[in-house]
Structure formats: C-alpha cells, structure tokens
C-alpha cells in the first residue's frame, strides 16, 4: 500500500455536529468535498511574538 | 461540504484562512491531512516520497476545484475570451469552439458578454474579477474556491462582484469563500467557519456564528465590525 493510500485510510473523517447539509442540497446527496485532519507546519516562528 | 452549498470562512488576517483554502487544491503543501473532492483523494506528502502518480491526482483534484484569486491573475496578453478558454483547451483538452461556447455562457452570466474581445488592462477591477469568475466556471469545476475575491477592489466595485457570487450561491453552485464581507456571508452562506490561529474556532449557520457567536474569539473579532457600524 502506498503512503498516500495508507494516510487516506488512517485519517477518518468526522463531521462537526454543526455541519449539516445546506438548504439547496438534494436529499441523499453525498459530500463532494472532505478535508480531514488538515495541518500546516510553519516552523517555530509561526504564532510566536518576536 | 455537500454539493449546492456555500461555505464562508471568516477570520482575521494571518489566521490561516487562505492557507487552508490553498491546501484544498495543494497550491499549499499541507504537512498532514487528506483532501477528497468528488472522489479524488490526495493526502499530504510532507517528505515528498510520492511521485508522478500523486502529481497526476493533484491535477485531477484541481480540475474539480476552480480557484478565484484576490488579484484576478488574468493573462494580460490574452483577451477576455482567450483567458477563459486557455485552461479548458490546454488542460482539459477541450475543443476551442466548444470552450468558447461555454465561456460565452458564463461571460453572459457575469454580465460581460460585450467585453469578450477586450484585454484585461481595459477593464475595471470589478470587471477583471468577474472575468476571473467566468474563467473558473468555464472549467466546469465541482467546487469553486474564492480567496478574498473583493479585497483588492475599490470599495465602489465590490458590490458587482458580490452580486455575481450571491447569484451563483443562490443557484446552487458549490462554493467556499474566504472573505471579510460579513453581509455576504450572512446572506449567502449555508455555514460559516470562524478561523483563529490556524484552527476552526466556531462553525455554524451565519445566524449563529455572525449574529450570536459563542466562542470568545469570534465574539471579539465580530465586535470590531459592530464597532465600525456594520449591519451585523
């Protein structure tokens, strides 16, 4: 299994309780976009007052 | 998010809104996480172990997620119609005539049919951004990503762009909009995410997040808008 496939399997997508289909979403529609466990590391300088 | 939804991401400058948005189509390389759009799955690859196969999937992902940038990013040497058909022809391999028909449909939608042969330098900022929206639509993406689409505009030109975006939202386009336009978010969004220091601090319908925020960070941010006399 590639690292990509492995990562995709280990990151389980969980909906926030506030995430509910909007008014124009057709009944039974599946999500079109999922972003799971997204993180971006900028290094030690990010968010630290200098 | 579900097809047909409009989601707005709010937050102060530097909170990570644009980084998050750009990570969705890998214009930013996330350190961790997985993005799935219309069945195409791409995971972070912080150590650059993956090769061409992942790059091909990123290309597939980008075909499904059209992007509208703050600074328009139109090709200055191409006319409006040429700007719109460039990617469909060269990236999707679409026939030029077919691409022009689709582009003309979307130029009409954004109210710029008569500008099809003009060059970007002869357009106002608002018109350029509407061309950028038509260009993104011509690719027929599943999701439209807007990165502060009105922030670079003269205040008098913001309304024409927001109206086009609101129309798209109301006709059921799937859109994620990073914005500081509270009235737009309130009127057009199904759901609002407030971002602070790289995290989603609060999520919910605009009536909750904008009108009655629970998180102290959201409250503090929105209180500045109220102080400045904004409607909400």
């Amino acid at each position: 299994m590639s690292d990509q496939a492995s990562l995709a399997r280990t990151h389980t997508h969980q909906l926030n309780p506030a995430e509910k289909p909007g008014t124009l979403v057709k009944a039974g529609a599946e999500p079109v976009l999922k972003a799971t466990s997204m993180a971006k590391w900028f290094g030690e300088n990010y968010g630290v007052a200098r | 998010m579900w097809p047909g939804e409009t989601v707005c991401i709010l937050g102060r400058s530097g909170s990570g809104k644009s980084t998050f948005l750009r990570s969705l189509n890998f214009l930013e390389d996330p350190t961790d996480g997985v993005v799935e759009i219309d069945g195409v799955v791409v995971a972070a690859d912080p150590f650059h172990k993956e090769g061409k196969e992942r790059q091909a999937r990123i290309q597939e992902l980008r075909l499904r997620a059209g992007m509208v940038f703050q600074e328009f990013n139109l090709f200055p040497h191409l006319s409006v119609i040429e700007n719109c058909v460039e990617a469909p022809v060269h990236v999707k391999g679409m026939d030029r005539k077919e691409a022009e028909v689709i582009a003309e449909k979307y130029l009409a939608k954004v109210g710029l049919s008569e500008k099809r042969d003009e060059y970007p330098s002869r357009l106002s900022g608002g018109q350029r951004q509407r061309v950028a929206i038509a260009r993104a639509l011509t690719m027929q993406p599943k999701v439209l990503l807007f990165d502060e689409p009105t922030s670079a505009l003269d205040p008098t030109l913001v309304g024409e762009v927001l109206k086009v975006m609101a129309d798209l939202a109301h006709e059921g386009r799937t859109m994620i909009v990073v914005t500081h336009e509270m009235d737009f978010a309130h009127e057009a969004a199904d759901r609002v995410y407030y971002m602070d220091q790289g995290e989603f601090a609060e999520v919910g319908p605009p009536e909750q997040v904008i009108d009655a925020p629970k998180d102290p960070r959201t409250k503090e941010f929105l209180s500045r808008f109220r102080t400045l006399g904004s409607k909400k």
Side-chain angles (χ1 to χ4, degrees):
Chain A
M1 186 190 302
S2 74
D3 286 353
Q4 289 280 288
S6 171
L7 262 173
R9 282 168 195 239
T10 54
H11 288 63
T12 307
H13 190 76
Q14 289 189 317
L15 285 176
N16 183 303
E19 293 177 312
K20 294 168 185 156
T23 52
L24 296 179
V25 177
K26 291 176 181 159
E30 290 292 317
V32 67
L33 186 153
K34 294 180 193 171
T36 307
S37 307
M38 299 294 288
K40 173 83 176 177
W41 173 247
F42 285 94
E44 297 294 345
N45 62 336
Y46 186 68
V48 178
R50 289 200 266 180
Chain B
M1 71 183 296
W2 286 267
E5 286 191 313
T6 294
V7 162
C8 284
I9 302 176
L10 311 178
R12 67 186 70 228
S13 297
S15 60
K17 307 182 298 296
S18 293
T19 299
F20 173 71
L21 193 78
R22 292 167 61 86
S23 295
L24 293 178
N25 62 2
F26 290 83
L27 288 178
E28 288 275 353
D29 240 343
T31 316
D32 193 11
V34 178
V35 178
E36 178 177 345
I37 300 178
D38 191 35
V40 177
V41 181
V42 183
D45 181 26
F47 302 112
H48 305 291
K49 290 179 178 174
E50 303 277 338
K52 287 181 181 173
E53 194 265 341
R54 180 174 181 269
Q55 275 308 316
R57 265 186 292 127
I58 288 176
Q59 281 302 111
E60 284 294 314
L61 200 77
R62 287 177 182 163
L63 289 176
R64 288 159 171 76
M67 188 106 182
V68 177
F69 300 91
Q70 186 176 330
E71 299 285 351
F72 329 130
N73 292 9
L74 298 178
F75 295 112
H77 62 292
L78 297 181
S79 69
V80 163
I81 191 75
E82 289 167 340
N83 261 284
C84 290
V85 303
E86 185 72 10
V89 169
H90 290 107
V91 180
K92 286 180 96 173
M94 195 183 288
D95 173 74
R96 179 171 288 273
K97 286 287 176 203
E98 182 190 351
E100 284 189 9
V101 169
I102 295 170
E104 283 167 353
K105 180 177 97 176
Y106 289 121
L107 284 172
K109 182 176 280 297
V110 302
L112 289 174
S113 292
E114 78 283 7
K115 301 289 186 187
R116 76 184 294 284
D117 296 316
E118 291 283 10
Y119 283 83
S121 62
R122 294 180 56 84
L123 302 177
S124 71
Q127 289 172 332
R128 287 181 205 179
Q129 193 59 297
R130 285 190 280 150
V131 172
I133 293 170
R135 178 178 63 175
L137 287 166
T138 304
M139 286 292 279
Q140 301 179 302
K142 295 289 180 183
V143 183
L144 278 171
L145 309 176
F146 292 84
D147 190 6
E148 297 196 33
T150 58
S151 295
L153 296 177
D154 182 294
T156 60
L157 303 174
V158 168
E160 65 187 75
V161 174
L162 291 180
K163 181 181 182 310
V164 166
M165 291 169 58
D167 288 346
L168 292 172
H170 293 146
E171 72 179 39
R173 289 272 164 195
T174 310
M175 311 187 344
I176 301 181
V177 185
V178 168
T179 186
H180 292 290
E181 299 289 343
M182 293 299 156
D183 288 347
F184 171 81
H186 197 282
E187 198 269 326
D190 290 289
R191 197 162 50 255
V192 171
Y193 292 73
Y194 178 74
M195 205 160 187
D196 183 76
Q197 296 198 13
E199 295 181 343
F200 291 123
E202 190 160 355
V203 183
E207 299 77 24
Q208 179 219 305
V209 177
I210 298 176
D211 293 347
K214 294 174 183 166
D215 188 278
R217 294 166 291 183
T218 320
K219 282 183 185 173
E220 200 264 336
F221 174 74
L222 290 168
S223 69
R224 296 175 183 223
F225 282 87
R226 294 194 184 97
T227 305
L228 290 170
S230 179
K231 178 180 142 196
K232 307 269 163 31

